[in-house]
Amino acid sequence: MKNLLFYIFCTLSLFSIFYFSTPVVHQSQNLTFIAGQISNPVGDTIRVFNKTHSFITNLNEKGRFELHFNIDSADYFTFFHGVETTSMYIEPGDDIQLEIDTEYFDETIKYMASEESSFLARKYLIEESFFDKSVDVFSISDSDFMNLWSIYIDSVNFILKDISNKKFAKMESNILISDEKMILSRREILKNVPVVGDFAIDFKYLDVNGDSIALSDFKNKYIYVDVWATWCGPCVYQIPFLLNLEEEFRNENIVFLSVSVDSDKNKWLSMIKEKNMTGVQLFASGWESKIMKDYGIFTIPRFMLFDTEGRIINLNAPRPSSEEIRPLIDSLLSIKLFTGINN
C-alpha cells in the first residue's frame, strides 16, 4: 500500500490520451519495447503512463504482456496494474523485461535491462522502510526529522552511486534536494495551522452568482467543507456521495460548502452544471489560494468539519463515501439538539 510520503514524492500526473497496443516485431531504432510476466494478476490491463503519454495493453492467458511505443525523449513513467503502481524510467529504444507478483507487489519487482527502473524500485522500498505509517515527517521534531532524513539520504545515495547513467543520477540527486526543501517548507506551514478546538481561520470567495461568501457567514450551523478541483479524479469520485449526503441532511443544521481550487473558472462552472452540484459552491482561484496555506492542504480532496461556534472539529474529516461520516454528523446534530432541549 502506497503511503502518504510516496505520493508526495511522486510528481507524475495522469492524462487522458490512450494508445492501445499489440505485440509486434521491432522495426525502428527508437521503438521502445516493454514486456513482462505478472503473477497472480488482478484483471488483465497493463498501463504505462506519464503526464504526456499513456500506453495500454492486455495480459494473455499466461499472465504475459508486450507493449511497444515511440517516445521522443527519456522520462519518468508509472507502471499500473490492478490497484498498484510502480515508477519506471524509460528511454527511446529501451527493451525492458519485468516480473511482478501482485501478492507482494513492490517487493517482487524485477527489471531486466533498466538499471534506472531497478533503482526506482529499490528507492521506493527504502522510502517505505523509513517513512511507514508510524512516522509522520510533518509532526516529529526538527532534530528527529533531520536525523531520519540524513539516514534516508545516505541509503538512497548508496544505491545511486552504482548507476552508470550519470544524467539520471544527477536528476535523482536533484529530486532528493527538492524533496527536502518541500518537506521543510510544509513543516513550517503546518506549525501555523490551527488545531481541534481552535477558531477557524476565516476565508471568503465568490460563489457561482458572483456573490462574496465567507465561512463565518454560517455561524450557528455546522459546516462540512470540501476542498476540491475538477481535474482531481478522487475529488470527482466523491461528488455523488456528497450529493447524497447533502440531500440526507438537507433540513438539518449543517451547511455543505465546496471550495474549488481550480484555476479555470469555466471548467468549474461547467462541472457544477454537469453534475447538478448543490450546496454552497465557492471558487478559490487556484492551488496557491489562501485556504490551502492556512489549513496546510497539500493534497485534495480535503474535507473539514467546523462547529456552530466556528471552532474546528476535524481538519481531515471523513469523506462522503466513508462509513464514518453519517454517524459523525448525526452525533453532532444530536448533541446540539440535546443541549437545546435542556436550555
Side-chain angles (χ1 to χ4, degrees), residues 278-305:
T278 54
V280 180
Q281 300 292 332
L282 303 183
F283 185 72
S285 301
W287 190 263
E288 300 300 324
S289 55
K290 186 174 181 290
I291 189 175
M292 303 295 278
K293 182 176 181 179
D294 285 346
Y295 289 99
I297 300 173
F298 308 125
T299 60
I300 55 175
R302 169 73 76 86
F303 294 89
M304 303 185 290
L305 193 57

Side-chain angles (χ1 to χ4, degrees), residues 22-281:
T22 54
V24 298
V25 178
H26 295 270
Q27 297 176 347
S28 169
Q29 180 179 348
N30 291 324
L31 188 66
T32 301
F33 189 77
I34 299 175
Q37 177 72 48
I38 307 295
S39 300
N40 302 302
V42 180
D44 65 353
T45 302
I46 299 294
R47 184 182 177 205
V48 176
F49 66 93
N50 66 5
K51 57 189 175 183
T52 56
H53 297 84
S54 183
F55 309 103
I56 298 177
T57 191
N58 295 320
L59 297 172
N60 65 20
E61 66 278 2
K62 295 182 179 180
R64 286 198 58 81
F65 72 92
E66 294 183 345
L67 182 65
H68 73 280
F69 49 85
N70 283 302
I71 53 176
D72 296 329
S73 59
D75 204 350
Y76 289 89
F77 283 79
T78 296
F79 178 94
F80 174 82
H81 172 69
V83 296
E84 296 278 9
T85 62
T86 185
S87 297
M88 298 183 68
Y89 184 81
I90 304 174
E91 297 189 87
D94 271 352
D95 190 342
I96 301 173
Q97 301 286 322
L98 65 91
E99 297 177 1
I100 297 176
D101 185 337
T102 62
E103 291 189 358
Y104 305 95
F105 196 90
D106 299 301
E107 292 80 2
T108 64
I109 299 172
K110 295 181 180 179
Y111 291 102
M112 284 67 79
S114 179
E115 63 169 358
E116 299 89 353
S117 296
S118 295
F119 164 83
L120 293 174
R122 294 177 64 188
K123 177 186 174 184
Y124 173 73
L125 293 178
I126 293 174
E127 290 172 3
E128 193 173 47
S129 66
F130 275 87
F131 306 107
D132 61 19
K133 291 183 178 180
S134 66
V135 178
D136 184 351
V137 295
F138 298 112
S139 63
I140 59 178
S141 69
D142 289 342
S143 59
D144 286 345
F145 169 72
M146 293 310 301
N147 288 335
L148 183 66
W149 188 258
S150 177
I151 298 171
Y152 165 72
I153 292 294
D154 289 343
S155 300
V156 174
N157 282 331
F158 180 78
I159 61 173
L160 187 59
K161 65 180 175 58
D162 296 325
I163 298 296
S164 62
N165 184 339
K166 299 308 177 186
K167 180 180 178 181
F168 172 81
K170 179 64 176 177
M171 287 192 297
E172 283 295 316
S173 294
N174 290 337
I175 287 173
L176 291 175
I177 295 171
S178 176
D179 286 343
E180 180 177 349
K181 290 180 178 179
M182 176 270 294
I183 294 175
L184 289 174
S185 173
R186 292 184 176 185
R187 282 173 57 85
E188 287 301 311
I189 290 173
L190 289 173
K191 289 178 181 178
N192 299 314
V193 171
V195 298
V196 173
D198 287 350
F199 281 106
I201 300 175
D202 201 14
F203 55 81
K204 181 185 292 186
Y205 297 110
L206 299 181
D207 67 5
V208 294
N209 298 315
D211 297 324
S212 184
I213 305 293
L215 180 70
S216 56
D217 290 341
F218 301 100
K219 191 175 180 180
N220 299 322
K221 290 181 177 290
Y222 290 102
I223 310 170
Y224 185 62
V225 175
D226 169 21
V227 182
W228 73 293
T230 60
W231 47 259
C232 166
C235 300
V236 176
Y237 174 78
Q238 292 296 323
I239 290 176
F241 298 99
L242 180 59
L243 291 176
N244 289 338
L245 201 63
E246 291 173 358
E247 177 61 25
E248 186 173 337
F249 292 96
R250 181 164 55 92
N251 297 319
E252 303 291 345
N253 191 42
I254 184 169
V255 172
F256 294 90
L257 192 159
S258 296
V259 181
S260 166
V261 292
D262 280 286
S263 56
D264 189 325
K265 188 174 183 179
N266 288 330
K267 287 185 178 180
W268 169 65
L269 291 171
S270 294
M271 182 162 288
I272 290 174
K273 182 178 181 180
E274 174 191 343
K275 301 291 185 181
N276 295 314
M277 297 173 68
T278 54
V280 180
Q281 300 292 332

